[in-house]
Amino acid sequence: LFGVSGHVTEQRLIALQELIDSEREYLQSLEAVQQIYAQPMSSLRIISCHERNIIFPKQLWQIRKTHMTFLEKLEQFRSSGKPSMSIGICFTLLSAQEKGRVGLLDTYRSYLVNFPEAMGVLSQKLKVSECVRSFLQDCRHDTALTHPDLSTLLVSPIKRLPQYIAHIKALLRTTPEGHPDKTSLLHTIQALNSAIPTMQDAMPVSSQLFEALAPEQWDALKLAHA
């Protein structure tokens, strides 16, 4: 219908599958935050409700909910067996801004702005609470646990948005001229390119934040803030 050759169709499906695999991994990280850390730490009462709301803010769960819908739509398209069909509606979830409603990019911005405070509270709890230290050490040394440590999981939303640009560019390379996805994919990239610098400018990177992060996370965060 849009002049899609067999080779382009195959490459388009490969690019889509790479995005789906990456999205699944991202969601697994967000689910791990809730199931392995947030819920148990609250149940054990080793952090207060106030501390929980700072370390695990509501924006994190809103991000998770939207990305669950995003992944579901991507998988529905992939299983349809119709690579020429438009998947642009999937990406409106990432970039849509409706009057009177908080969009996903605004939610990410709020999370990033509050991230240093979250890491500061977590760092302080590690200093003063033996229960928190023991709990996090037990999680880290659990041989059945395949997820990274808590600080690594919490920084994953900061690193996620720039990754979408690479995935969308891969889809664009396999999307022929005249295909309705061209416009929606380009719009999403423009929205991300506009939003990411403002988020970085809004996020104060303090010495307390770097103390809270594991050393291997420092460079990633500096790159995100550069």
Side-chain angles (χ1 to χ4, degrees), residues 58-74:
K58 64 180 182 180
Q59 289 86 359
L60 192 59
W61 314 133
Q62 292 167 348
I63 287 169
R64 177 175 173 263
K65 181 179 179 180
T66 301
H67 282 279
M68 288 174 67
T69 303
F70 180 56
L71 177 60
E72 180 182 354
K73 289 184 178 296
L74 291 175

Side-chain angles (χ1 to χ4, degrees), residues 126-184:
L126 283 167
K127 291 177 181 177
V128 303
S129 173
E130 176 62 31
C131 292
V132 170
R133 288 196 299 271
S134 297
F135 174 82
L136 294 181
Q137 288 171 359
D138 288 345
C139 288
R140 190 163 188 172
H141 292 104
D142 185 350
T143 55
L145 182 59
T146 58
H147 297 285
D149 60 39
L150 178 55
S151 64
T152 303
L153 291 171
L154 290 174
V155 84
S156 60
I158 293 176
K159 303 191 311 186
R160 184 59 181 163
L161 286 183
Q163 293 171 356
Y164 284 119
I165 294 177
H167 284 296
I168 294 171
K169 285 182 177 179
L171 283 169
L172 276 170
R173 286 193 293 269
T174 61
T175 301
E177 293 298 330
H179 195 291
D181 280 351
K182 275 286 187 180
T183 300
S184 57

